[in-house]
Amino acid sequence: ALERRRAAESAEARELLVAFVGELRERGVAPEALRAQVIGSGTSYRTGISGWYLRKNRSVGVDTEANFYILGTTASLAARVTGVRVLASDPPLVVGQGGRDGESIKLADLLEMRRGELFE
């Protein structure tokens, strides 16, 4: 039952992301190269993913195919040269759930905030 509920929530979140990416394309908002942030520092590494950041702190993003990414990584000397491989995650309906207070937000609200930032 828990797995079915998670799958249903993920499918709903994916629909939101597909609509968001479609709107970005319609409005001509160009994707950018997404970078993975080293947790607790100002360092970031190339990912090879093209898309849009969803949070101002660049901790999550969506690619041009509406795949959801958590863009956090650990420090690595090799990653400075080669970049890092970040795998797509099942998108949540609440981003940051289980994190520190004040850091979780409904995906729909986050996308609406991002729209406001991009289309002002």
Side-chain angles (χ1 to χ4, degrees), residues 2-78:
L2 180 61
E3 281 302 313
R4 280 193 306 266
R5 189 186 66 165
R6 281 187 187 154
E9 288 179 0
S10 219
E12 185 179 340
R14 185 164 308 282
E15 288 177 22
L16 292 172
L17 291 172
V18 166
F20 180 73
V21 167
E23 185 177 0
L24 293 176
R25 286 187 172 153
E26 272 181 27
R27 293 183 178 225
V29 179
E32 61 183 293
L34 300 181
R35 298 180 63 87
Q37 308 296 313
V38 175
I39 299 164
S41 80
T43 303
S44 64
Y45 304 132
R46 293 182 320 273
T47 63
I49 301 166
S50 183
W52 301 269
Y53 293 104
L54 299 179
R55 290 198 127 164
K56 284 184 181 183
N57 68 3
R58 299 178 168 225
S59 61
V60 294
V62 61
D63 71 8
T64 57
E65 302 300 316
N67 295 306
F68 179 82
Y69 294 89
I70 298 171
L71 297 168
T73 190
T74 56
S76 162
L77 187 56

